[in-house]
């Protein structure tokens, strides 16, 4: 969670809002509505409270998950779900089977500065990122905002130890 700055042997990789990809996925939803069509069987359509984020792995090997560093500047909840493969919405649609379990859920209660999270699931998910980094340069995430939060309220990164 929001702790001290990463140590010299640690690497902090921010989750960055991918505005273009989020926009493209929203256009897919609008296009289906305008044409009166339904989504493909198993296709994941972006809901209004969801946005696409990415991590660009500046180092791919010799990474060991250390912690999530998530800050919400107001009370609310975010759910971070990884995707199992890279995709480009203009070529392929995101499918529900590409969403990874477990998701990491972080929340901040009213009248509290402290962050809470589903620790076991968030740690398991984080550990998987070390393995996924070995085979990817970029990883995409679906972040769901609830209880009044939106992308401007979130600052998130994943901290790795460099082995």
């Amino acid at each position: 969670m929001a702790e001290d700055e990463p140590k010299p042997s640690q690497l902090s990789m921010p989750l960055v809002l991918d505005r273009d990809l989020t926009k493209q996925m929203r256009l897919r939803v609008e296009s289906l509505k305008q044409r009166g069509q339904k989504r493909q069987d198993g296709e994941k359509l972006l809901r209004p409270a969801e946005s696409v984020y990415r991590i660009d792995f500046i180092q791919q090997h010799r990474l060991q998950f250390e912690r999530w560093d998530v800050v919400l500047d107001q009370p609310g909840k975010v759910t971070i779900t990884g995707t199992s493969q890279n995709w480009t919405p203009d070529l392929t649609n995101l499918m529900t089977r590409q969403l990874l379990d477990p998701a990491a859920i972080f929340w901040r209660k009213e009248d509290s500065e402290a962050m809470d999270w589903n620790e076991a699931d968030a740690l398991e998910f984080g550990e998987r990122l070390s393995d996924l980094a070995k085979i990817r340069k970029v990883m995409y995430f679906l972040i769901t905002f609830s209880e009044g939060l939106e992308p401007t309220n979130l600052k998130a990164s994943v901290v790795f130890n460099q082995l």
Side-chain angles (χ1 to χ4, degrees):
M1 298 305 301
E3 296 180 8
D4 301 327
E5 290 295 312
K7 297 176 181 113
S9 62
Q10 293 183 331
L11 189 58
S12 179
M13 295 187 194
L15 277 76
V16 178
L17 176 62
D18 191 321
R19 294 180 194 286
D20 292 337
L21 203 47
T22 299
K23 181 179 177 183
Q24 186 118 15
M25 290 189 69
R26 292 198 195 296
L27 289 173
R28 168 78 176 146
V29 173
E30 289 177 28
S31 174
L32 288 173
K33 283 181 183 175
Q34 288 173 351
R35 292 192 229 140
Q37 296 178 332
K38 295 186 183 221
R39 64 181 175 88
Q40 291 179 0
D41 189 36
E43 180 181 1
K44 169 64 176 133
L45 295 177
L46 202 63
R47 295 185 311 237
E50 294 175 327
S51 294
V52 179
Y53 281 68
R54 64 188 281 157
I55 284 182
D56 292 285
F57 290 110
I58 52 179
Q59 176 180 331
Q60 290 182 269
H61 299 285
R62 301 180 45 158
L63 295 176
Q64 178 184 36
F65 174 75
E66 171 64 23
R67 70 179 184 274
W68 290 92
D69 192 2
V70 176
V71 176
L72 300 175
D73 67 6
Q74 69 180 46
K77 181 169 90 172
V78 294
T79 302
I80 302 174
T81 306
T83 64
S84 66
Q85 68 183 42
N86 290 331
W87 89 97
T88 53
D90 55 332
L91 300 176
T92 60
N93 300 317
L94 179 62
M95 306 305 276
T96 54
R97 69 178 176 272
Q98 295 170 320
L99 300 177
L100 300 176
D101 282 329
I105 303 171
F106 300 90
W107 65 92
R108 190 175 130 201
K109 294 179 182 172
E110 196 74 42
D111 300 323
S112 175
E113 293 295 317
M115 292 289 301
D116 288 313
W117 68 99
N118 62 338
E119 188 171 1
D121 287 346
L123 292 175
E124 179 183 337
F125 180 21
E127 289 167 1
R128 290 181 74 186
L129 293 178
S130 298
D131 292 330
L132 292 167
K134 293 175 187 172
I135 58 174
R136 299 195 184 164
K137 292 184 187 237
V138 177
M139 182 161 173
Y140 292 96
F141 300 84
L142 201 58
I143 299 187
T144 306
F145 296 88
S146 56
E147 300 174 21
L149 290 179
E150 53 188 42
T152 57
N153 302 121
L154 172 69
K155 182 180 177 195
S157 60
V158 181
V159 178
F160 294 96
N161 292 317
Q162 298 180 71
L163 304 175

